[in-house]
């Protein structure tokens, strides 16, 4: 094979074809919303009124907060983690663990309360997840979490609201 052919092949397949493992390094999850879960649809103005600027950027524009910026990364009390956009229960404190990444991380989620899609913003595919009710971007899920699932649901803290057990 000539150098130009190799480079052309590399260009066609991109980084996914050249770097081993990238094409298979993300979980393929086919999640469905819980039966009867009614979608919450608001205008951009209504979302802006409801959310802080930071929460709007993450939940409505799929932004990412800086690592280690969320107090929820260090929250270890018993309780519930709810969507900051619509208050849907997404995680419980029993599902949380310290991933060391600087974002609140969970090894499991509440069934029927998340949906996923592929995200190619960083060139290689990642699995993005969002709230099944309001569609708010929460974070990305990776296959480097602890047992029993082996998954790491890496969440933006600003996209969550923690409700202590005595309040939930």
């Amino acid at each position: 094979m000539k150098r130009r052919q190799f480079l052309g092949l590399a260009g066609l397949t991109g980084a996914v074809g050249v770097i081993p493992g990238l094409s298979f390094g993300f979980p393929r999850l086919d999640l469905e919303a819980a039966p009867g879960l009614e979608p919450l649809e608001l205008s951009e103005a209504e979302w802006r009124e409801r959310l802080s600027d930071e929460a709007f950027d993450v939940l409505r524009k799929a932004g990412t907060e800086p690592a280690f910026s969320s107090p929820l990364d260090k929250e270890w009390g018993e309780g519930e983690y709810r969507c900051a956009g619509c208050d849907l229960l997404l995680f419980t404190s029993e599902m949380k663990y310290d991933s060391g990444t600087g974002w609140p991380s969970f090894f499991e989620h509440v069934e029927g309360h998340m949906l996923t899609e592929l995200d190619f913003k960083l060139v290689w595919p990642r699995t993005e997840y969002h709230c099944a009710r309001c569609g708010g971007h929460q974070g990305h899920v990776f296959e480097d979490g602890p047992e029993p699932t082996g998954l790491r649901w890496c969440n933006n803290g600003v996209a969550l609201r923690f409700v202590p057990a005595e309040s939930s």
Side-chain angles (χ1 to χ4, degrees):
M1 181 181 286
K2 294 182 180 176
R3 182 172 179 251
R4 184 178 347 177
Q5 290 171 316
F6 174 77
L7 292 175
L9 179 62
L12 287 176
T13 59
V16 172
V18 175
I19 302 171
L22 279 182
S23 62
F24 303 104
F26 62 95
R28 291 164 177 82
L29 304 172
D30 188 23
L31 305 180
E32 294 183 18
L37 188 63
E38 293 291 325
L40 174 65
E41 296 178 15
L42 300 175
S43 69
E44 182 172 332
E46 290 171 313
W47 282 119
R48 287 193 181 277
E49 186 176 313
R50 178 182 277 227
L51 303 170
S52 69
D53 290 344
E54 295 81 9
F56 181 86
D57 179 57
V58 170
L59 287 162
R60 308 314 311 164
K61 300 295 182 185
T64 302
E65 69 187 0
F68 302 101
S69 67
S70 173
L72 293 184
D73 186 38
K74 300 297 182 201
E75 174 60 62
W76 296 108
E78 289 185 33
E80 299 176 341
Y81 293 85
R82 297 177 162 273
C83 175
C86 70
D87 204 40
L88 183 65
L89 175 63
L90 303 178
F91 307 101
T92 67
S93 54
E94 291 82 18
M95 301 170 177
K96 190 170 190 257
Y97 78 101
D98 185 6
S99 67
T101 61
W103 289 280
S105 298
F106 306 85
F107 62 84
E108 187 58 273
H109 70 286
V110 174
E111 181 104 15
H113 291 193
M114 297 284 197
L115 298 175
T116 60
E117 61 187 52
L118 282 183
D119 168 3
F120 291 92
K121 290 180 186 122
L122 294 180
V123 180
W124 62 86
R126 298 181 300 169
T127 302
E128 174 189 338
Y129 63 94
H130 50 274
C131 174
R133 182 185 312 174
C134 72
H137 170 77
Q138 295 291 322
H140 293 86
V141 60
F142 302 95
E143 293 180 314
D144 61 358
E147 294 301 324
T149 65
L151 297 177
R152 171 172 52 101
W153 296 81
C154 187
N155 219 99
N156 287 283
V158 72
L160 295 171
R161 183 174 73 84
F162 179 70
V163 180
E166 57 272 2
S167 301
S168 54

